[in-house]
Amino acid sequence: AELHGEERFDPHYTDPALTGSDVIEYLITLDDETLSRVHDVQVTLYYQAVPPSYLQERFRDAGVGPAENDEIKRLFYITSHLNVNDAVDEEGIDVIKDWKLPLTGTTRALE
C-alpha cells in the first residue's frame, strides 16, 4: 500500500522492524515556582481495552436491527458482572481499575 502524506517519512510506518511502535514526545512548560518544587516527573502509559462509552453505544443499539441477538445479551452480562475495581496483581496493585491497563511507565529527573 502506498503511504500518502507525512507518514511516508516516518520509519514507524516504513521500517518493518519498527512497525507497530511509535514515539510520542510531550513538552510540558512549567513556571519557575513549580520548577523549584518539582524534582521528578512520572509518566504512565495506559491501554483502555473496552471504554465504557463503547459499551453504552452497543447496549443503546441492542434493540435496533440485526444487533438484537444473544451476543449483545452475552456482552451485557459479562460486562455488567465484571468488577474491574477489585482486580489486582500479585503485589496487590490495581490492574484494570477504571478500565485502564497500565502498559509501562517511568520516572525521570527534570533537567
Side-chain angles (χ1 to χ4, degrees), residues 25-31 34-35 41-43 110:
E25 182 177 322
Y26 291 94
L27 300 175
I28 301 170
T29 304
L30 301 174
D31 59 61
T34 302
L35 281 172
V41 174
Q42 180 179 358
V43 177
L110 291 178

Side-chain angles (χ1 to χ4, degrees), residues 71-105:
E71 294 302 317
I72 291 292
K73 292 176 187 173
R74 181 173 172 263
L75 178 63
F76 180 79
Y77 178 84
I78 291 170
T79 58
S80 63
H81 288 81
L82 175 65
N83 186 347
V84 298
N85 294 323
D86 286 342
V88 294
D89 67 10
E90 60 277 353
E91 297 172 7
I93 298 172
D94 294 324
V95 292
I96 57 175
K97 185 175 178 73
D98 300 322
W99 294 84
K100 297 184 301 187
L101 304 172
L103 295 178
T104 188

Side-chain angles (χ1 to χ4, degrees), residues 37-71:
R37 294 182 289 120
V38 176
H39 181 263
D40 296 329
V41 174
Q42 180 179 358
V43 177
T44 304
L45 177 64
Y46 293 94
Y47 174 76
Q48 190 169 24
V50 182
S53 60
Y54 171 84
L55 294 175
Q56 288 172 349
E57 289 175 12
R58 298 296 73 73
F59 301 145
R60 184 185 64 236
D61 296 341
V64 179
E68 187 176 10
N69 60 37
D70 290 338
E71 294 302 317

